[in-house]
């Protein structure tokens, strides 16, 4: 699939350079493929390009920009670049909330922020407590939006449990 996606992106850039949306879609698909192959550094470059271009074309408050920001922040977290991931997610959350607090992207972006705060080995106790607060709010929203048994709600509950466990580590 990777060579096909690369060829498609090349052709769109060469012959349909005016078709910005098609190029962004192909870049996004290519970055997802690279991520799936474990080539996170290469995927990050493309995801950053897509996010920057989406913000330039549609604005930071657009659903597409929030989704693209989530993709960048999640990739940064997977690369263990926790401070960058937290900063990006924290900067985007106010714009994301314009979609509604119960919007799936807001819940997911909140979880990436909390994960980045918890998983960072340099996190302070206050960072972990902030993550717990963020996850409690995200869990409330997930329950309201999806219901108690939805996978997103269960995942958020599990992350909250992990954050609480991490906070207990500071007590000793």
């Amino acid at each position: 699939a990777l060579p096909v996606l690369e060829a498609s992106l090349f052709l769109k850039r060469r012959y349909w350079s005016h078709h910005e949306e098609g190029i962004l879609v192909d870049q996004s698909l290519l970055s997802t493929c690279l991520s799936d192959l474990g080539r996170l550094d290469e995927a990050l470059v493309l995801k950053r390009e897509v996010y920057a271009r989406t913000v330039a074309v549609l604005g930071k408050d657009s659903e597409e920009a929030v989704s693209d920001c989530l993709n960048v922040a999640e990739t940064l977290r997977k690369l263990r670049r926790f401070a960058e991931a937290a900063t990006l997610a924290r900067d985007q959350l106010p714009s994301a909330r314009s979609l509604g607090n119960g919007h799936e992207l807001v819940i997911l972006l909140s979880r990436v922020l909390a994960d980045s705060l918890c998983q960072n080995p340099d996190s302070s106790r206050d960072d972990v407590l902030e993550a717990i607060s963020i996850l409690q709010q995200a869990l409330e929203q997930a329950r309201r939006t999806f219901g108690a048994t939805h996978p997103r709600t269960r995942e958020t509950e599990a992350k909250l449990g992990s954050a609480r466990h991490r906070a207990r580590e500071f007590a000793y």
Side-chain angles (χ1 to χ4, degrees), residues 91-110:
D91 289 348
Q92 184 70 45
L93 264 173
S95 296
R97 287 199 174 98
S98 69
L99 301 173
N101 281 334
H103 195 285
E104 183 175 22
L105 291 174
V106 175
I107 293 167
L108 293 174
L109 195 58
S110 297

Side-chain angles (χ1 to χ4, degrees), residues 10 18 22-23 51 79 89 106 121 131 135 139 146-148 165 168 170:
F10 173 80
H18 61 282
I23 292 172
Y51 175 57
L79 286 166
V106 175
L135 287 168
L139 180 57
F146 306 122
H165 178 74
R168 285 191 292 274
F170 284 100

Side-chain angles (χ1 to χ4, degrees):
L2 184 61
V4 172
L5 291 170
E6 289 172 331
S8 177
L9 180 58
F10 173 80
L11 290 172
K12 282 191 180 154
R13 283 181 172 158
R14 183 168 182 176
Y15 295 109
W16 296 284
S17 60
H18 61 282
H19 193 259
E20 185 109 28
E21 186 179 330
I23 292 172
L24 288 174
V25 167
D26 277 13
Q27 281 182 305
S28 185
L29 291 171
L30 182 58
S31 70
T32 300
C33 185
L34 289 167
S35 289
D36 291 346
L37 292 171
R39 295 165 59 177
L40 296 175
D41 289 315
E42 294 171 75
L44 180 61
V45 171
L46 282 174
K47 288 178 184 194
R48 283 186 192 268
E49 285 177 23
V50 169
Y51 175 57
R53 197 67 203 134
T54 301
V55 168
V57 172
L58 300 175
K60 192 173 181 179
D61 294 341
S62 70
E63 187 171 345
E64 292 83 356
V66 175
S67 178
D68 292 340
C69 177
L70 175 63
N71 290 334
V72 174
E74 182 62 25
T75 302
L76 286 167
R77 189 193 62 77
K78 287 177 181 175
L79 286 166
R80 305 188 59 75
R81 292 163 64 173
F82 301 116
E84 281 181 80
T87 299
L88 183 62
R90 192 185 310 277
D91 289 348
Q92 184 70 45
L93 264 173
S95 296
R97 287 199 174 98
S98 69
L99 301 173
N101 281 334
H103 195 285
E104 183 175 22
L105 291 174
V106 175
I107 293 167
L108 293 174
L109 195 58
S110 297
R111 285 180 12 185
V112 169
L113 172 56
D115 283 348
S116 298
L117 291 171
C118 273
Q119 293 175 358
N120 189 343
D122 298 329
S123 289
S124 67
R125 184 174 191 276
D126 288 340
D127 291 333
V128 176
L129 293 176
E130 179 187 358
I132 290 170
S133 175
I134 291 166
L135 287 168
Q136 286 171 331
Q137 291 172 7
L139 180 57
E140 269 182 47
Q141 290 302 324
R143 284 182 177 146
R144 279 191 213 126
T145 303
F146 306 122
T149 60
H150 191 276
R152 294 276 190 227
T153 305
R154 302 242 178 184
E155 291 165 2
T156 307
E157 287 172 344
K159 289 179 183 298
L160 179 57
S162 296
R164 287 178 173 151
H165 178 74
R166 175 95 158 91
R168 285 191 292 274
E169 292 174 3
F170 284 100
Y172 300 108

